[in-house]
Amino acid sequence: MKQLKLNNGWFSNTRSDVLSGMTVAIALIPEAIAFSILAGVSPMVGLYASFCIAIVTSFAGGRPGMISAATGAMALLVGSLVIQHGIEYLFAATVLAGVFQIVMGMLKLGRFITFLPQPVMTGFVNALAILIFMAQLTHFKGQSWVMYALVALTLLIIYTVPLFTKAVPSALVAIIIVSVLSIVLDLDVKTVGDMGEITSALPLFHLPQLPFTMDTLLIILPYSLSLAVVGLLESLMTATLIDDITGTGSDKNREAKGQGLANIVTGFFGGMAGCAMIGQSMVNMKSGGRTRLSTFVSGIFLLFLILVLGDIVKQIPMGALVGVMIMVCISTFEWGSLKTLARVPLSDALVMIVTVVTVVLTDNLSIGVLFGVLLSALTFAWKIASISLSVQTSADMVTYVVSGQLFFGTTSHFIHEFNYEGDPENIRIDFTHSHVWDQSAAGAIAKTISKYAAYGKTVTITGLNEESTQLVKRVGLSLSGGHS
């Protein structure tokens, strides 16, 4: 049984996983360097982080085939910390963020990702594709037509190779061909080496050199909390996306703990905080990567590239890597969502658009998702915040049949629907088609009974389901007219 589980988790897709992992490793280098620059640290900090996080999550993560490394979202959060206090505080904040994530995993907070509505997920994916594309535009600044030609050639190879063979990832073939062409012809184009200095050195264990005091904790605490929440949110959303692509499930709470362990390790080995990379995870998926082996290979091959092939890696033209990322944008964007935009409910369309616009304007996926979730919650509350009463009268009794959800948002309307003075002495309120949700709802029922009692009338409550009855009893409100 253990052997079967090992094969399914690691070696059920070996050739494709190894090749896709190699492709991801090459594409990781310029992004890791760029994110390091964004955070105000040496390029090696991002590269070490990407290596450590990929290796640890390949074993400890809950979503096979997902790529985790240094990311732009995390880099944006720590820039001010590095400027004000130095890189050692970054390492400490990374370790503490990892501790928080492990605690979140132990508390099983990963299940809350299921509360994300589909329009938010669609908006998240589309916004991601737009952000990835926009990030590639900076590489064209100051470049000649040759850069555009290399990007076009890369895309041509990526989409043409699968027509002849799918034995190797077309993205890897494109990177190799375009790189060889650029080196042989000695083209004057921007290369990986232009992004930052790459040194051939192993990451070493390093305790953050800073005073272990309460003041230090108060400095890094807000950064660590932000890193933990943002990193976990992006990782769980990426895992959910890959779940949909592969048609398989993942352990979200294990992923939370795995991300935490990875950040603790990278913090002690001179790296910055990271999380799942949706772009690189999509590269892995499109290249055929499916199991933990692909994630492991991406980390190991990244280190191999840095230590052994550093001089060659520096000569890879950015045009090749930009082409790969543009392919990722095209394949990531949910083009079908544009066709269905006019057919889905207006509220759903609005949620998706708001999510996309917010992410693009703030350059922050987490903020966009938060806005989308809040808007979804508001629209849902608006939809259910309607309650109606139909009236059935007889000679000596009036019956009010309640339809809809009774909660704090509908209690005011509920109370004012009754004719307290004009109704006969016996009133029956039927809740067969309703549900009592909270203390405000139970209080509204009691208040209604009290108002009728002031006129000397008797109220009978019927049709309460078991949950509603228990809530009314638990709140301790007396329904003086009785209920059945």
Side-chain angles (χ1 to χ4, degrees):
M1 182 64 72
K2 288 184 177 179
Q3 183 64 37
L4 179 62
K5 188 174 182 180
L6 182 65
N7 287 338
N8 290 337
W10 284 84
F11 302 114
S12 60
N13 187 46
T14 305
R15 182 175 57 82
S16 294
D17 283 333
V18 170
L19 293 173
S20 63
M22 292 168 65
T23 306
V24 169
I26 296 172
L28 271 175
I29 293 176
E31 292 206 355
I33 294 174
F35 298 149
S36 299
I37 295 171
L38 183 61
V41 296
S42 163
M44 297 309 298
V45 174
L47 291 170
Y48 286 157
S50 297
F51 158 70
C52 292
I53 294 172
I55 294 298
V56 174
T57 55
S58 69
F59 289 95
R63 173 63 257 181
M66 188 166 75
I67 305 299
S68 297
T71 63
M74 304 293 261
L76 283 170
L77 295 173
V78 298
S80 59
L81 175 64
V82 175
I83 293 172
Q84 295 173 21
H85 301 284
I87 193 170
E88 298 295 333
Y89 281 79
L90 168 61
F91 298 150
T94 297
V95 172
L96 184 58
V99 173
F100 284 141
Q101 289 178 325
I102 289 178
V103 172
M104 291 175 183
M106 294 174 67
L107 294 175
K108 301 187 182 303
L109 298 185
R111 60 186 168 184
F112 287 109
I113 196 68
T114 58
F115 292 132
L116 284 179
Q118 185 58 43
V120 175
M121 279 297 298
T122 303
F124 170 78
V125 170
N126 290 346
L128 170 73
I130 295 171
L131 285 186
I132 294 175
F133 179 78
M134 291 173 62
Q136 307 314 306
L137 299 180
T138 59
H139 298 299
F140 289 95
K141 291 181 180 179
Q143 297 297 300
S144 66
W145 64 271
V146 179
M147 173 69 172
Y148 294 88
L150 291 182
V151 172
L153 177 60
T154 301
L155 289 169
L156 179 64
I157 295 172
I158 287 174
Y159 289 111
T160 301
V161 168
L163 300 177
F164 300 96
T165 178
K166 295 182 180 179
V168 292
S170 60
L172 181 59
V173 174
I175 292 172
I176 293 173
I177 292 176
V178 174
S179 297
V180 170
L181 184 65
S182 176
I183 294 171
V184 170
L185 297 180
D186 193 24
L187 298 178
D188 182 20
V189 292
K190 188 177 182 180
T191 64
V192 170
D194 296 326
M195 295 291 293
E197 184 63 30
I198 300 177
T199 57
S200 300
L202 282 167
L204 300 175
F205 183 79
H206 170 80
L207 282 174
Q209 300 300 304
L210 74 176
F212 290 91
T213 63
M214 183 57 68
D215 289 339
T216 299
L217 178 62
L218 293 177
I219 290 172
I220 66 173
L221 185 61
Y223 291 97
S224 296
L225 280 172
S226 298
L227 289 169
V229 173
V230 171
L232 194 56
L233 178 60
E234 293 210 17
S235 297
L236 295 182
M237 291 195 69
T238 305
T240 302
L241 182 60
I242 296 177
D243 290 349
D244 293 338
I245 293 173
T246 61
T248 58
S250 60
D251 187 336
K252 304 299 189 299
N253 294 312
R254 177 178 174 178
E255 184 60 43
K257 289 181 279 190
Q259 291 289 331
L261 180 60
N263 278 321
I264 290 174
V265 172
T266 190
F268 283 128
F269 279 87
M272 58 193 284
C275 62
M277 299 185 73
I278 306 183
Q280 298 303 336
S281 295
M282 290 301 101
V283 171
N284 195 38
M285 292 294 109
K286 299 300 178 183
S287 300
R290 288 296 182 272
T291 74
R292 297 179 183 277
L293 182 62
S294 61
T295 308
F296 180 79
V297 169
S298 70
I300 288 295
F301 194 63
L302 174 61
L303 186 64
F304 175 77
L305 291 172
I306 296 170
L307 297 180
V308 181
L309 302 180
D311 291 336
I312 296 177
V313 169
K314 293 175 185 177
Q315 300 179 65
I316 296 176
M318 286 304 300
L321 301 178
V322 168
V324 170
M325 296 313 296
I326 290 178
M327 175 272 292
V328 170
C329 299
I330 295 171
S331 59
T332 300
F333 195 91
E334 289 278 357
W335 298 101
S337 64
L338 298 180
K339 297 178 182 178
T340 60
L341 198 60
R343 298 200 296 268
V344 300
L346 178 61
S347 59
D348 288 350
L350 184 62
V351 167
M352 189 194 81
I353 293 171
V354 167
T355 302
V356 171
V357 172
T358 305
V359 170
V360 173
L361 291 180
T362 62
D363 198 26
N364 190 310
L365 289 165
S366 299
I367 293 177
V369 169
L370 178 61
F371 269 77
V373 170
L374 289 176
L375 184 58
S376 293
L378 288 174
T379 55
F380 174 73
W382 180 264
K383 288 177 182 177
I384 68 168
S386 60
I387 194 165
S388 62
L389 279 71
S390 59
V391 184
Q392 301 172 1
T393 58
S394 61
D396 59 349
M397 175 180 283
V398 62
T399 300
Y400 289 91
V401 180
V402 184
S403 300
Q405 309 302 311
L406 187 58
F407 68 112
F408 67 89
T410 56
T411 53
S412 179
H413 180 68
F414 171 81
I415 292 171
H416 289 94
E417 283 291 294
F418 297 94
N419 185 1
Y420 299 102
E421 187 175 356
D423 283 340
E425 291 187 1
N426 297 304
I427 299 95
R428 186 166 70 97
I429 304 177
D430 184 1
F431 282 91
T432 302
H433 305 293
S434 183
H435 186 95
V436 180
W437 284 102
D438 54 20
Q439 181 180 355
S440 297
I445 296 173
K447 189 173 183 178
T448 300
I449 293 173
S450 176
K451 280 178 170 285
Y452 274 115
Y455 289 98
K457 300 174 181 180
T458 302
V459 176
T460 302
I461 303 296
T462 64
L464 282 175
N465 58 36
E466 185 177 350
E467 289 183 12
S468 298
T469 302
Q470 289 178 355
L471 173 64
V472 171
K473 290 180 178 178
R474 190 165 63 247
V475 170
L477 295 175
S478 173
L479 303 180
S480 58
H483 70 278
S484 59

